[in-house]
Amino acid sequence: MHFRVLLEFFYDEAGKDDIVAHHFRGLQGVDIVFLDSLRKPPTWLYMLRVNLDKLLAHLTESRWADDRPERNYYSGRFAELDEVINRFLYMLPEPHRGLLKSRVDEFERANAPKYRTN
């Protein structure tokens, strides 16, 4: 679920009360070119999202189909998303960067053994 939330934050348009990366455009020093690049999502995003939706949010026959991706297919995208997270983080001006970085570091310390992909 966290993976889906991050994908939505970086690549979706804002819904009624969603907070997305594009909301940060107004901060002084923000890299607008980087934020605009997120408006063109990676080619793999659509199919990954369809598969995750079936796997996590629906009880369907296709959830158990033979042609669904292996679980490690999703973790293969973690490094790419991690790069986007880091670019976003270091684009933010202080004090926003420090606050977000401390939260990311706290999460990684608490969860690193669970989420290692190598």
Side-chain angles (χ1 to χ4, degrees):
M1 290 299 264
H2 293 92
F3 190 48
R4 287 177 61 193
V5 170
L6 287 168
L7 293 173
E8 291 171 5
F9 175 77
F10 287 112
Y11 297 113
D12 282 2
E13 296 295 324
K16 184 170 64 173
D17 62 349
D18 297 331
I19 297 172
V20 297
H22 299 288
H23 285 128
F24 290 81
R25 291 177 68 92
L27 294 177
Q28 184 176 5
V30 165
D31 182 350
I32 298 211
V33 172
F34 167 64
L35 287 178
D36 286 346
S37 75
L38 296 175
R39 292 196 183 272
K40 184 175 186 222
T43 56
W44 50 262
L45 182 64
Y46 175 76
M47 283 312 299
L48 183 134
R49 200 176 256 167
V50 166
N51 288 315
L52 278 176
D53 285 350
K54 293 289 185 184
L55 183 64
L56 298 173
H58 302 277
L59 184 57
T60 64
E61 184 178 330
S62 63
R63 179 181 190 165
W64 310 108
D66 290 335
D67 61 346
R68 68 177 170 74
E70 295 292 324
R71 305 266 188 211
N72 64 359
Y73 168 78
Y74 305 104
S75 63
R77 299 298 177 190
F78 291 172
E80 193 170 340
L81 188 57
D82 195 44
E83 183 179 322
V84 172
I85 292 168
N86 284 320
R87 283 189 65 193
F88 181 80
L89 176 65
Y90 289 104
M91 168 205 74
L92 291 174
E94 290 296 348
H96 309 287
R97 180 186 312 142
L99 177 61
L100 184 57
K101 182 164 181 4
S102 69
R103 297 296 175 108
V104 169
D105 291 347
E106 180 181 313
F107 176 83
E108 287 180 346
R109 277 192 304 278
N111 296 287
K114 298 178 201 172
Y115 296 105
R116 293 207 191 274
T117 58
N118 49 11

